[in-house]
């Protein structure tokens, strides 16, 4: 039975090399195999046509090559596609493929469910089932990539799907290494973004290991409001501590931190909030990404009117900040930011309100 055999994708690159040496292979041949696994989209040892028949048979005898199971695949009217993926223990996660101009971004998950309890996020309703392993994180890319036409490539990765990546630091770091390694998926670190709700000690640790883009979900300008909408994380790491680490962050020149700010009508979208956001971000090389709240059935919050979003953005612009409004893609299939949930995601839930079109300038990161 293949299931009892080790999945070759679960090996780190070093482990794979050692395993192949044990099988009597020369060291350099690990690269040949890695290229099939990570760059040439092989889903079976039989597809590895530059390996001898005997080598392919040996690999198949000793290990298996298993991608994630695509349970459902739903396409939005705007071209965004949501994949519900099955893990081997029966848990399910979601990944979202977002085509935009000349980019093809995949938004991936880091946990089944989520450690945190942010009140505006549908994933939080699911609670934490478990952390994903590195191969399950990277597996989302491999699985989705294989569904694309040969000439089509995923260009950007955002870790903004289900879960809090920095609550699963070890596996996330290993997965990021496989993503940016030239012998792995080969993404430039500038095309990979990790989004965190603000787990302060882990932020520096992440950056020491892999210098990818960092997005921080600030979402409020006072601890009072942040405690209310992001209780777990803000009680551990209140705004001052989060901003302190952002100020101390060893950002290379020309790189900026992104602050994400979910706009919730009447909660954190006032001109006073915008003015406070200007003050809080002072001294930090950053840009602000405003995300008008994406509604879901039973959510306690509302999406602000377009003119309120614009007013908020204007205040930031007048203070000289770069502030974009994120396009909400895939809202009709619950694929936008904060709408991922492996339980309700599978069903066709209606939106609370019809999708409104935003006319405001938008950001590079559709979600
Ligand atoms: N846990 C990580 C990554 C997942 S959430 C984090 O908190 O950053 C990814 C982004 O979506 C975050 O900026 C989050 O604040 C935002 N988000 C969550 N729910 C949302 C919703 N319903 N509408 C709009 N944005 C939402």
């Amino acid at each position: 039975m293949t299931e009892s055999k080790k999945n070759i994708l679960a090996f780190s690159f070093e482990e794979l090399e050692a395993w192949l040496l044990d099988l009597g292979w020369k060291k350099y041949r690990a690269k040949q195999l890695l290229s099939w696994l990570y760059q040439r989209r092989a889903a079976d040892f039989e597809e590895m046509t530059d390996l001898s028949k005997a080598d392919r048979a040996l690999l198949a005898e000793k290990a298996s090559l298993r991608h994630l199971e695509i349970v459902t695949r739903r396409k939005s009217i705007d071209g965004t596609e949501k994949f519900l993926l099955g893990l081997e223990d029966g848990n399910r996660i979601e990944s979202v493929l977002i085509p935009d101009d000349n980019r093809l971004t995949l938004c991936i998950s880091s946990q089944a469910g989520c450690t945190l309890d942010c009140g505006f996020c549908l994933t939080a309703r699911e609670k934490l089932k478990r952390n994903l392993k590195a191969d399950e994180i990277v597996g989302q890319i491999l699985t989705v990539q294989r569904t694309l036409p040969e000439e089509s490539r995923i260009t950007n990765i955002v870790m903004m799907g289900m879960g809090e990546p920095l609550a699963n630091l070890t596996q996330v770091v290993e997965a990021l290494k496989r993503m940016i390694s030239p012998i792995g998926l080969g993404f430039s670190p500038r095309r990979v973004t990790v989004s965190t709700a603000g787990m302060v000690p882990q932020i520096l640790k992440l950056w020491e290991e892999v210098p990818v883009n960092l997005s921080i979900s600030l979402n409020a300008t006072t601890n009072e409001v942040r405690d209310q909408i992001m209780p777990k994380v803000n009680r551990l790491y209140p705004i001052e501590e989060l901003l302190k680490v952002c100020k101390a962050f060893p950002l290379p020149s020309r790189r900026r931190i992104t602050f994400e700010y979910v706009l919730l009508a009447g909660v954190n979208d006032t001109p006073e909030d915008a003015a406070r956001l200007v003050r809080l971000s002072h001294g930090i090389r950053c840009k602000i990404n405003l995300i008008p709240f994406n509604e879901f059935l039973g959510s306690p919050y509302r999406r602000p009117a377009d003119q309120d979003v614009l007013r908020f953005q204007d205040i930031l612009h007048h203070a000289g900040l770069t502030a974009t409004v994120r396009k909400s893609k895939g809202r009709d299939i619950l694929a936008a930011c904060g709408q991922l949930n492996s339980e309700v995601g599978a069903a066709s839930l209606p939106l609370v309100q019809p999708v409104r079109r935003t006319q405001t300038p938008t950001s590079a990161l559709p979600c």
Side-chain angles (χ1 to χ4, degrees):
M1 281 218 344
T2 50
E3 279 64 27
S4 59
K5 285 190 218 162
K6 176 94 176 170
N7 185 357
I8 202 158
L9 293 167
F11 285 125
S12 69
F13 297 166
E14 299 74 27
E15 285 167 347
L16 182 70
E17 206 176 87
W19 184 76
L20 290 175
L21 282 176
D22 276 353
L23 286 186
W25 285 34
K26 295 255 174 351
K27 198 172 166 186
Y28 75 92
R29 296 196 59 208
K31 279 198 185 140
Q32 190 182 6
L33 190 54
L34 284 172
S35 145
W36 277 110
L37 296 176
Y38 290 95
Q39 285 152 23
R40 296 159 84 176
R41 308 180 193 184
D44 196 293
F45 295 121
E46 275 313 301
E47 292 175 26
M48 303 180 178
T49 45
D50 61 1
L51 300 187
S52 70
K53 265 201 157 108
D55 280 345
R56 281 182 260 158
L58 181 66
L59 288 175
E61 185 198 321
K62 302 283 181 196
S64 65
L65 169 45
R66 305 195 293 274
H67 282 171
L68 304 181
E69 178 204 356
I70 300 179
V71 181
T72 59
R73 184 177 170 180
R74 297 177 65 205
K75 197 163 191 166
S76 155
I77 42 169
D78 62 27
T80 302
E81 258 188 283
K82 183 163 77 166
F83 293 80
L84 178 68
L85 301 171
L87 308 176
E88 294 198 342
D89 65 354
N91 276 307
R92 290 172 170 190
I93 52 169
E94 293 187 312
S95 311
V96 182
L97 186 66
I98 311 151
D100 190 47
D101 298 332
N102 50 3
R103 252 192 294 253
L104 188 56
T105 302
L106 187 69
C107 176
I108 59 174
S109 298
S110 55
Q111 298 184 309
C114 186
T115 311
L116 301 177
D117 56 359
C118 306
F120 49 80
C121 181
L122 186 57
T123 308
R125 306 282 164 104
E126 207 175 323
K127 307 281 179 239
L128 180 69
K129 294 190 174 128
R130 68 169 172 84
N131 281 333
L132 298 189
K133 290 181 273 169
D135 58 291
E136 294 168 326
I137 298 171
V138 175
Q140 296 168 64
I141 308 171
L142 298 178
T143 303
V144 172
Q145 180 83 67
R146 218 179 130 78
T147 67
L148 301 176
E150 188 58 39
E151 67 288 357
S152 176
R153 291 241 151 226
I154 294 167
T155 60
N156 293 64
I157 301 294
V158 292
M159 232 178 226
M160 295 184 183
M162 300 169 72
E164 167 50 44
L166 299 193
N168 182 16
L169 189 69
T170 309
Q171 296 299 316
V172 163
V173 165
E174 171 60 24
L176 290 169
K177 286 182 176 167
R178 295 185 200 180
M179 285 178 220
I180 66 175
S181 165
I183 55 167
L185 285 164
F187 283 98
S188 153
R190 286 169 173 272
R191 289 181 175 268
V192 178
T193 300
V194 172
S195 178
T196 174
M199 301 194 62
V200 168
Q202 287 81 356
I203 290 176
L204 284 173
K205 282 192 194 142
L206 171 81
W207 182 266
E208 277 163 20
E209 297 271 2
V210 270
V212 291
N213 296 319
L214 194 67
S215 275
I216 293 179
S217 303
L218 188 58
N219 296 344
T221 58
T222 63
N223 281 321
E224 198 190 342
V225 173
R226 207 165 188 268
D227 273 347
Q228 188 196 318
I229 64 175
M230 304 173 76
K232 203 164 175 181
V233 73
N234 202 59
R235 280 186 202 135
L236 283 170
Y237 311 111
I239 292 179
E240 320 69 74
E241 282 190 37
L242 181 55
L243 296 177
K244 203 164 131 200
V245 78
C246 293
K247 283 197 177 117
F249 205 65
L251 268 181
S253 56
R254 294 195 294 137
R255 294 281 283 272
R256 288 192 276 185
I257 292 179
T258 300
F259 285 122
E260 293 164 283
Y261 194 95
V262 181
L263 285 165
L264 309 169
V267 176
N268 64 357
D269 66 341
T270 63
E272 294 73 32
D273 281 300
R276 269 194 297 269
L277 185 51
V278 170
R279 284 200 295 278
L280 290 178
S281 59
H282 188 74
I284 303 172
R285 210 157 67 234
C286 67
K287 53 189 173 194
I288 316 279
N289 196 203
L290 301 172
I291 319 175
F293 177 58
N294 294 312
E295 287 156 347
F296 49 86
L297 209 63
S299 64
Y301 300 108
R302 279 182 309 108
R303 189 178 177 90
D306 286 354
Q307 75 256 27
D308 293 340
V309 174
L310 270 179
R311 181 185 59 182
F312 200 97
Q313 187 186 28
D314 272 352
I315 297 170
L316 303 181
H317 279 166
H318 275 107
L321 285 167
T322 306
T324 47
V325 177
R326 185 170 301 179
K327 285 182 209 169
S328 290
K329 294 194 113 191
R331 285 172 70 205
D332 56 333
I333 54 162
L334 286 180
C337 280
Q339 293 186 315
L340 301 186
N341 181 302
S342 71
E343 289 151 7
V344 282
S348 320
L349 273 181
L351 281 171
V352 182
Q353 284 179 7
V355 177
R356 278 194 296 263
R357 286 190 78 87
T358 307
Q359 297 298 331
T360 44
T362 51
S363 79
L365 270 184
C367 187

